[in-house]
Amino acid sequence: MIMEGRRTFGVLLAIVGTFAIAPLLAILYYTFVNGGQLDFSQISRMFENDRMWHTLGNSLLLGVLVIMGTTIIALPMALIRTKTSLIKFDWLDIILTIPFMTPPYIGSMGWILFMQNNGFLQQLIPSASWMSDYFFSLFGMVMVMSLHLFPFLYLMLRNTLLRINGSFLDAALIFGRNPWRNWAKIVLPLLVSSYVLGILLIFIKTLAEFGTPATFGSRIGFQVFTTEIHSYLSRWPVDISMATSLSLFLLSVCLIIWYFQNLIGRKNTYSVLSGKTQAVREMKDKWYIKLGAWLYVGIVLLFSIGIPYFSIIVTSLQKVRGDGLSAGNFSLASYQAVFTSGSAGLSAFLNSIVFSFITASVTAVIGLFIALYIKKGETKKQQVLDFFSLMPNIIPGIVFVVGLIMFWNSPLLPATIYNTKTMVVVTYCVLFLPYSVQYTKSSLSQLDQSIFQSAAIFGRSSWDVYRHIFIPLLMQGILAGMMMTFIISMRELVAGLLILPPSVETGATFIYSQFEQGNVGLGMAVAVITVAMTVIFMFLLDWLQKRGGHAGA
Amino acid sequence: MKISITNIEKKYGKSQALWPINVELDSKFVTILGQSGCGKTTLLKILAGLEKPTNGEIRFDETVIYSSNLRKNVRPNKRNISMVFQDFALWPHMTIFQNIAFALKGILPKSEIKERVDHVMRLVKMEGFEKRKPGELSGGQQQRVALARALATNPKLILFDEPLSALDAVLREKMQEEIMHIIHELDCQAIFVTHDQTEAMTMSDQIIVMEAGRIAQVGSPQEIYHSPATPYVADFIGKVNWVDKGSRIVRPEGVSRHSQLGAIAKQAKIVKSTFIGDRYLVQAEVEGNQWSFYENAPLEKGKLLKVFIDEKQIYQLEGLH
């Protein structure tokens, strides 16, 4: 069989170990060791700090509120897409994932531009200006984050509901006494486990989120873990041990939640798959259900895509921001400025493309080998590698970034990549390796066991087997993973802010710095280009997966 | 109970899953037999009320269950039927007891529910498994529980949607017998969907053969085998030897090497002999057609010989489609 043996494991573990595990060990080292001595004073200093407890409270509160927010948006949406005639409009799913793929800081910038004093809302409806005060509060922050994260929960709920829709529900229709009891006793219990898994992941993602707290939270003075860590590292006086202590704490919180998530997942996931999904039945709704459903979808799309996209596009097209929405105030000047060769915007954007492309290629290769080694994760070694390679998914990006900075600054290293562009690519690779591993693994899991066996019997050499059988069969998954990695590398903000060498910028840091103190129009022009590219890639990705489905059938 | 199906048809958009179907069923054990995609499961789901027909009427005795003209559609749970699903469809989060008791709440007083569950579990020989969850049972055991759940409400009609296709051959035969036995013991009817002609032959009193959304023939197993209505049915059920292509057939039992009074002689060239346990199945070429018949000893390949057909056993197909 392929990709087995001790040497492969050793090589792969060494790669993952150096780049993903060593940074975490570096955090531990800098937190607990001071001058070669074990020292707990730093961690106790953190626990004595009132500000830390305040931050913890803020982070947890935000997590709970975002869970509520995403539930309010995602649950009705999942019901609408599975129980009404809207079930046939599969294109809605791609549209609904756009908010999730939009960089969160761009989404919140859009909302800030729309709601702020003299923003678009006040220009369009002057009488609605009272809303601004209410919006710039924890409520607004939760809303913006929920609008970004809800697609994730929605897709999980929708898939579970679709699977229950098969013979499980048919059996309930025949044996059940009334629809409410069927709903309470059969649909709800089957839905609960995937709901709990979904919201725990939402909680972790909220804790790990940097973009929205950095743009929106800083405006309303709402500090969370990620922004605290960032400010300890970037504002004078730099306090490294505080940053590592906080990172360690955040890491522990995430690991605990992840542990519970696993526990629940193992206990309560039934093979809902046994309920055969069947051809979609025709559904006819009463007019008010249809109207209500479309209205709901319309409002969600307006809030999650319409308003933020409107704001960033219009801002990028405005000549003078103070002049507002008037006919003569539009031009392409910002775009011209961005596309002038040698401009800061263009070089930042090109940097992003180069970094993202290299990251996508490197992770694709490493991800392929790891996925081929892990296969179904049956042996201990395979599970270990699986766990380590997916770890960056559970651990907040900023923790890894802090760890990488500590590790590559270590005086023990003979040479360092710190303060070079390589460092950026390495960081991206560590952060986004899980995507490539997951995509390749999932397309590997779709291959029947017999393909491995026939390859083992008929393949003349293992190189032959890779080149002619596995790589072509997995190509679709590899490409999908590459595109996904490219998209999220393009938008990565916190890594860029902390590790970019002096005078180098990426698209994301350029947008951020222009928005905070500079030419907002210019920043938004780059934002629009980034977002447009993201959306195009998403449709390509969808097309790629659909095409693969047809070829495989 | 007499089940009357009048002009029931089903369209999915433009494609016609069922052409208007008219049939009356009153036998105890009815099988709907056909290849995949012939519309047999659609018809079953229409009877269950899980699919809504585009047109037509269904009556159970004199009660209208569905009528497009009267705009009447009785809910699945009010039709006094139950169903055994192909994938069992036992709810995975409930114990076996809860799965079976689910349909009983509200129609039986609480004190009697346990008694009834015990009773049906005994019928399917699964006593003692009540506290398990479906995931802890084997496929065959899950199938028995699914049957118990279907029996629990004392339905007038049980619908089976290819319930045995997920089981292995030995288990399948055993379950066939047990299902037949249970149905014949109880006061209820069964409609059984399958693509397996042996299953249909052994189990049913009445068979509906379906082809591409239409009924090809309705009849007892004997009628279907000896007097197929169309060439499709003749080819689909059992082995067939065409005396005249498309019009006259004889089954292998009607062919022998021994001359009889009133037998027709034909020249045959042996293609191969296969041992099938109690005898040999001989395949031969007769007037350009592939024939088969049974022999007690193998015949040499390529051998030319005479075979005799009992004229009484030749069947003339009526009106061709």
Side-chain angles (χ1 to χ4, degrees), chain B residues 259-304:
Chain B
S259 155
Q260 280 172 326
L261 205 66
I264 302 166
K266 297 249 183 204
Q267 188 72 29
K269 186 182 177 193
I270 305 302
V271 177
K272 91 183 181 200
S273 305
T274 317
F275 183 56
I276 53 167
D278 51 346
R279 53 195 166 167
Y280 287 83
L281 174 72
V282 180
Q283 279 159 294
E285 203 181 297
V286 176
E287 292 173 348
N289 293 323
Q290 283 287 333
W291 280 34
S292 44
F293 55 93
Y294 301 110
E295 271 297 322
N296 288 324
L299 297 174
E300 197 186 317
K301 186 184 166 186
K303 193 173 174 184
L304 289 171

Side-chain angles (χ1 to χ4, degrees), chain A residues 32 47 116 120 201 229 322 457 475 491:
Chain A
F32 290 114
F47 283 117
Q116 70 191 1
F120 293 117
L201 279 175
I229 295 171
I457 289 171
M475 207 54 207
R491 78 190 210 188

Side-chain angles (χ1 to χ4, degrees), chain A residues 473-529:
Chain A
L473 278 173
L474 297 176
M475 207 54 207
Q476 186 207 341
I478 297 171
L479 270 178
M482 280 182 80
M483 281 182 166
M484 192 69 196
T485 311
F486 187 85
I487 294 175
I488 47 175
S489 304
M490 284 295 290
R491 78 190 210 188
E492 177 55 37
L493 176 62
V494 69
L497 288 178
L498 290 174
I499 54 166
L500 278 175
S503 80
V504 177
E505 283 209 273
T506 63
T509 60
F510 181 80
I511 296 168
Y512 181 74
S513 61
Q514 294 301 318
F515 184 80
E516 293 298 321
Q517 46 204 321
N519 185 340
V520 178
L522 212 57
M524 289 305 108
V526 178
V528 170
I529 298 166

